[in-house]
Amino acid sequence: MKIGMIGLGKMGGNMVLRLTQGGQQVVGYDRTEANVANIEAHGAQGARSMDELIAALGEPGSRAVWMMVPAGQITQAVIDDLAGRLAPGDIIIDGGNSNFKDSKRRAEELAPKGIEFVDVGTSGGIWGLKEGYAMMMGGTVEAIERLRPIFEVLAPAPDRGWGRMGPSGSGHYVKMVHNGIEYGMMQAYAEGFEMLGAKEEFGLDLAQIAELWRHGSVVRSWLLDLTAEALQSDASFHDLSDYVADSGEGRWTIIDSIELGIPTPVITLSTQMRFRSQQEVSYAGQMLSAMRRAFGGHAVKKLEVGKQESVVPSVKAGEHPSAAAPQNISNKPTLPDDGSVREAQELGEAGQQRVKDEA
């Protein structure tokens, strides 16, 4: 099957490589020339413009274009552009982390044009090239069935790791909750290992514990596998800032849980902890310190030097996942604190807000 891919970063680029290795024909477009050249070096066809991309996809009514671009206004701009170029019967696939309400609206707006819209919640990160991607789809049965050859190659196996969740919006909804669960799991591991490291009287070996838990323990998981590997190389994480980005799905999960009346305390608190990590200094903490001194005359700490950070660029498509290991961070060239546009989108989290609020 032939498919177009817009956005050739670490996710989109690796998906192109996996599809190419699986015998699918892919035409990829990205505004960054190096990303286009990278997929060409691996056997895919590159396009230098949207016109070139669309022209390479074949007859109108049989074309499919997959987007892997930042959620929010960028996704909306790409869809608006495609809507003016595609024909009835063509398919637009959004594999990014868009808000499910935006995905529902986009499907409704494209329907009168006869253009199918499929939202695909995609999980797998930089390991997807090797291990495959878990994919949760929303859209019509007919559109998803047409894309079966693509899903079967991208998935860990043709018969597992992918499936239709329901109508448009459901794929991104399930991925949203998936990421909320992910936040909670990550926070629990981080808190537990911080406790273990703080219990100095036992001299606990965190790497040993993580490796032990990987075998037979009820808390074993792929996240624990990655944690164990990281601890083997650098248990102190001395080069890492404690800034933890949030991509929006945690926030959206909490908002929807409130609308549904479903308690989600673990997901909520884990997301709030990410907010705290993103503050260089907590104004609430400063106020608490001021109040303690005001009523009790207690000693307080004064801020002398602000935290200084730099940005380590994202792992690139085609790079081995080991490039993301903690021991390799100190060897990577860094960017100014605001990073490049792409890194700023990841750390500043474009896409947290919906494109259009409901009336």
Side-chain angles (χ1 to χ4, degrees), residues 127-241:
W127 290 85
L129 174 58
K130 177 184 177 184
E131 304 291 340
Y133 300 88
M135 293 169 291
M136 300 137 262
M137 300 100 177
T140 66
V141 174
E142 294 76 16
I144 291 171
E145 191 60 30
R146 275 178 55 189
L147 297 167
R148 172 179 287 271
I150 299 300
F151 296 139
E152 289 182 341
V153 171
L154 287 175
D159 60 346
R160 60 179 181 270
W162 70 278
R164 178 179 182 267
M165 302 294 100
S168 298
S170 63
H172 280 153
Y173 185 83
V174 174
K175 179 57 161 51
M176 177 191 78
V177 176
H178 164 285
N179 282 24
I181 294 169
E182 176 187 306
Y183 281 21
M185 292 174 65
M186 293 172 71
Q187 185 67 32
Y189 280 131
E191 291 175 6
F193 278 100
E194 185 169 19
M195 282 188 64
L196 294 170
K199 199 66 174 176
E200 295 179 355
E201 65 181 281
F202 292 139
L204 300 172
D205 184 335
L206 302 190
Q208 177 198 20
I209 294 168
E211 182 60 29
L212 184 155
W213 283 355
R214 291 182 59 222
H215 306 282
S217 166
V218 297
V219 299
R220 64 187 184 273
S221 72
W222 186 48
L223 283 173
L224 182 61
D225 293 344
L226 297 175
T227 302
E229 185 175 337
L231 288 169
Q232 290 287 349
S233 59
D234 185 2
S236 67
F237 305 129
H238 62 279
D239 278 334
L240 274 173
S241 166

Side-chain angles (χ1 to χ4, degrees), residues 281-344:
V281 177
S282 165
Y283 179 78
Q286 291 175 309
M287 179 172 285
L288 288 171
S289 181
M291 286 190 287
R292 283 193 79 246
R293 186 167 179 82
F295 70 68
H298 301 297
V300 294
K301 287 191 174 183
K302 182 181 177 183
L303 188 64
E304 296 286 353
V305 180
K307 182 169 63 175
Q308 295 186 2
E309 298 171 324
S310 58
V311 176
V312 180
S314 304
V315 174
K316 293 180 172 56
E319 277 194 274
H320 191 274
S322 62
Q327 71 268 26
N328 293 325
I329 288 174
S330 59
N331 301 325
K332 292 281 187 181
T334 59
L335 303 167
D337 189 33
D338 58 353
S340 69
V341 172
R342 190 178 297 273
E343 275 69 30

Side-chain angles (χ1 to χ4, degrees), residues 1-3 23-26 62 64 91 146-150:
M1 180 176 179
K2 197 168 197 177
I3 190 168
Q24 303 300 310
Q25 293 179 286
V26 188
S62 63
I91 305 174
R146 275 178 55 189
L147 297 167
R148 172 179 287 271
I150 299 300

